[in-house]
Structure formats: C-alpha cells, structure tokens
Amino acid sequence: MVYLDYAASTPLLPEVKEVMLKQMDDVFGNPSSIHAFGRKSKVVLENSRRQIAKMLNVSPSEIFFTSGGTEANNTILAGACRDLGIGRFVSSALEHPAVLQSLEWLARYHKAEVLMVDIDAKGRIDLGHLDFLLKDAPRSLVTLMHANNEIGNLLPVKEVQTICKKHHALFHSDSVQTIGKFKMDMKTLGFDFASCSAHKFFGPKGVGFMYISGKHRIKPLIWGGGQELNMRAGTENIHGIAGMTMALKLAQQQADERLEKVKTLRAVFMEKSRQLIPGLVFNGDAHGSCLPHIVSFSLPETSRSEMLLLNLDVAGFAVSGGSACSSGASKGSHVLHALGVGSDIPSLRVSFSHLNTMEEVEAFLMALKDNM
Ligand code: PLP
C-alpha cells in the first residue's frame, strides 16, 4: 500500500513510539497524586509543557493539553463566548466542522452572532469584507484556520492579525494542519488562541493542546477536576503527551528537509497529473499560498468516477475524497461546495509526507490514469 493521506493522519515515528513505550513502562502514577509515583508523572507532564512552550515561543502556562484539535476548538470557542463576553464570531465556510459546529451551537443556544467572511473561487479570504464585518462590532472573535485541511490554503496571518488589532477583535486559528509542519512563533503570528493535534505530525492520536494567550482566562468545557490549571478536567494522557512532545521536537528539527521533500513531490505530481489527465483542475489556491504537501483536484467525470476512491484503494493507494474527516458521511465536502465545485464532480485530496518517494508518486499517477 502507498499512503498518500498524511493530512488525515500520520503513523508514529519510531523515536516517538520508543519514548511512549518507555513512559508506559516507567511512568504510571496519576500526575495529581502527591506521592513519588505521581510526582514522576507530573515531571513528564510539566517537562513536556515546557518543551512545547519553548518550541512555540510561549509561556508554559499558555499551553493546555487536550484530547486533540476538536476538543481544543470546542473549548476555545465556547469559553470565548461564555467567559470573555464575545458577542460576534467571524469565521469562514471553509473551517473544520469542529469550528463550524461549535459556532452553530453558540448561535443556537447562546445567542452568539456568527458571520461568515466572503471567500473567492480559490478559497481566499476577502480581507476587505473581514474588515467590514468587524466595523463597529460588539466584542468579536475571528476564527480562521491557519491552513485548510482539504485544499491546503494558507491564511494571510499578518493581514488578518492587523485587521483584528484594528478592531480589538480576538484571533483564534485552528492550527492543526500547521503546527508540526513549520517552525512557528506564536508571538509573531499574533494568535490569541490556537489548536493543535499530535496525530497530524507523526505523534499519537487522541492528544493535542490549545494555546491560550496569558491575556485571557476561560473556564473549562470538561468539568470535574483541577487539572491543566483548572482549564481542562481529567487525568492527563501522559504517554500521549510525551509522544507528542517528541514528535514536535523531531518536526522542528527536520522541518526544512521535510518541507523540501514534500514540495518536490507535490510539484512533480501537479506537473505530471495535468499532462496525463486532460481536464484535471486543481482546487483552492494550489499555485499560490498553500501548504506544500496537500493537493486537491477535480477530475473529468467518467463511468468509473463513482468507484474511483475504492478502485485506487484496491490498486494499493490510500488517498482521500475531499477530506477524511467527512469520509463515510453522505454529504460531500463542505469546502469544495463553498468553492462552487459540484458534488457530482469527482475530486480527490492527496497529501504527501517526507516518508513518500518519487517512485510512489509516479506509481500513483499511473494508477490514477488507469482508473479514470
Ligand atoms: N482541525 C483541522 C484543520 C483538522 O484537519 C482536524 C482533523 O482532521 C481537526 C481540527 C480535528 O483534530 P482531531 O483529529 O485531533 O480532533
């Protein structure tokens, strides 16, 4: 099998697994217990927090461990509405369901005003419209993802940050697809809140964190204990957190070489796929500001289109039809829908990693052509 779905999830790197196995053998105490076993776990927990904070240039007291990106997004948005007096949320139709459905819930049950910023046919944010939506607004929060998981579009963070500052709006960015891909300095990015998930950068599933700037204090979404500085109740996933820390460390150390590798693979794929399949169209800002490892494209419809994803799987290639997060659901991709790509148009998302080879890309191109 050739795996080309790294935006959906990634395998554990051997170094990450090694750290986790060691922690599983050596550390089992509850980090909230005061005895030696508990203290040993607490050391792992707080060392992890310190290391992650250092890598992102934030304070350890601004990092809160969660079960992943979904929980981080839910906690931040609910907390901002309930505890920070946010009356208006500005977002976009391209956000992950963890953001969109949180906003729907806040609008329905907490009377939050939710406005969507305009996007163009490539999924780029209309910055003038964002500025307009924040004019004379009540205390607002802008929630726009750092990079889109389906089409890879990157947010013009500096411009959005400037507009947010001008209107005293808070800025949340779902950074699940960027933390662990680039070296990131939260202070420069100017986020008030960000969300992260370990399984997108060769760490374990079911663990992530939220960055919450020290300027803000929100109450938990999950109640029942004083863990995570009273921001998230529940015994911490120590082994997962240790694995995530190692995964992020490796991601930072290897960021440049990983980026170079995927950029080359993606460039060759884009060039050759267009030559090989007339009528193939790239979705999103594929030639502009975009993640270097994701490519989404639509294909001309054929009698075999409906079976394309399945046939590619049988042929030994794991790719995604739009987004893995919505696969299995009867609805098509909300992102492609927002870009005006019809649900009847066959579309695929391919996402590479440094573990892929050029031979795999070449083989996939042939399989794609054969299954059209
Ligand atoms: N946000 C984005 C942009 C994602 O791509 C994903 C996962 O696909 C999530 C949030 C959810 O993260 P998790 O799987 O850790 O809940």
Side-chain angles (χ1 to χ4, degrees), residues 7-9 67-73 95-99 145 147-150 174-177 195-200 205-208 323-325 349:
S9 199
S67 63
T70 300
E71 186 193 324
N73 285 336
E95 294 299 307
H96 189 272
V99 165
M145 66 209 309
N148 187 277
N149 50 307
E150 295 195 38
D174 175 343
S175 305
V176 164
Q177 291 290 345
S195 317
C196 171
S197 175
H199 73 99
K200 305 293 183 179
K205 288 165 187 57
V207 62
S323 163
C325 301
R349 176 191 68 182

Side-chain angles (χ1 to χ4, degrees), residues 20 45 66 204-207 232 235-242:
M20 291 179 73
L45 181 68
T66 65
K205 288 165 187 57
V207 62
R232 196 264 189 183
T235 304
E236 296 88 344
N237 174 2
I238 290 290
H239 309 131
I241 290 167

